[in-house]
Amino acid sequence: MPKKLPSQAQMKALIEDFKKQFTGGFYHGSPANNIEAFDPTRSKKDPMYTTPHATFVTRDPKFAESFLSMNNNGKIKSGSTMYPVNVNLGQHWNPNTPEGLAVISEFIEKYPKRVNLEKGLKRGDWTAIENADFMKHLKETGHDTFHVVEGGTPNVGVFQPQNIRGKFAEFNPEEAANPDFMKAKGGLVALKKKKK
């Protein structure tokens, strides 16, 4: 028997429920203007990226802008793009919570030779958090996203590309597993040229 399609009202409710899983107000700065899906394995191919396990977003547009390509005159290169995105935080790890501290304790028990990372992990220091063993531990403990601080700016690391959707995406629940972050046109932010 064929699957019964939801009514228009049911589909609208499903879309709204799916959209509510995402938190808005994040940005991702990139030298590329043609991203269709964020690829957390890209660092294997591009030395500009240091963490092969996650895609990073921030609520600070100026910080995101620092990841755009600049030319020799200090101006943003053509093609560099700021992506306004929403993130499904899912099970989010944050060291500033009792649960986050428990994850750190479990990690130190599991990897006693990594005790030197403990202070950095508790501070949210990106150099400690982005350690390959800790990234593996976060995934093994079921985390989808994590808190990290770089240059004094809090950011979020996202393990799975399908947990990032463009600000103007369709939010079709039937496409929940699809890594294409837009599923609709639009979503890029035009960058203003800096005044001299």
Side-chain angles (χ1 to χ4, degrees):
M1 184 167 205
K3 183 181 171 184
K4 186 180 175 188
L5 295 174
S7 70
Q8 190 173 4
Q10 289 170 325
M11 191 62 191
K12 186 176 180 182
L14 289 170
I15 289 169
E16 286 306 310
D17 286 345
F18 181 55
K19 194 172 186 175
K20 285 178 187 173
Q21 295 174 26
F22 290 80
T23 302
F26 289 99
Y27 300 91
H28 177 84
S30 173
N33 65 357
N34 58 352
I35 295 175
E36 291 180 11
F38 292 99
D39 180 4
T41 66
R42 68 185 176 254
S43 65
K44 293 176 183 172
K45 305 168 203 153
D46 187 343
M48 178 180 166
Y49 301 101
T50 58
T51 307
H53 313 286
T55 299
F56 292 89
V57 297
T58 181
R59 289 193 178 276
D60 183 339
K62 289 220 177 277
F63 187 75
E65 186 179 88
S66 71
F67 290 89
L68 303 176
S69 289
M70 302 290 185
N71 63 24
N72 292 337
N73 297 328
K75 294 184 180 177
I76 297 170
K77 280 187 183 177
S78 176
S80 290
T81 304
M82 183 87 74
Y83 294 89
V85 295
N86 301 299
V87 178
N88 181 347
L89 296 169
Q91 186 172 338
H92 182 69
W93 177 80
N94 188 320
N96 302 320
T97 65
E99 296 84 7
L101 292 173
V103 169
I104 294 171
S105 295
E106 291 169 16
F107 172 71
I108 298 303
E109 276 183 42
K110 189 174 178 180
Y111 296 93
K113 291 183 179 178
R114 295 294 189 186
V115 72
N116 61 317
L117 296 176
E118 188 172 11
K119 285 182 183 176
L121 293 172
K122 288 180 177 177
R123 285 192 314 264
D125 184 351
W126 72 275
T127 59
I129 292 169
E130 294 179 33
N131 172 272
D133 289 335
F134 190 68
M135 293 284 95
K136 181 179 174 188
H137 182 67
L138 285 178
K139 287 181 178 180
E140 288 173 350
T141 52
H143 291 88
D144 302 299
T145 60
F146 57 92
H147 171 89
V148 63
V149 176
E150 184 175 351
T153 303
N155 301 299
V156 171
V158 184
F159 288 124
Q160 298 297 326
Q162 64 266 26
N163 285 329
I164 303 173
R165 286 290 186 256
K167 181 177 179 180
F168 306 106
E170 288 180 348
F171 290 95
N172 182 348
E174 293 176 355
E175 296 285 346
N178 192 326
D180 183 332
F181 83 103
M182 284 307 297
K183 298 303 295 172
K185 294 198 183 234
L188 303 182
V189 172
L191 297 173
K192 295 178 182 177
K193 292 187 179 184
K194 291 183 180 179
K195 295 180 181 179
K196 291 182 181 181

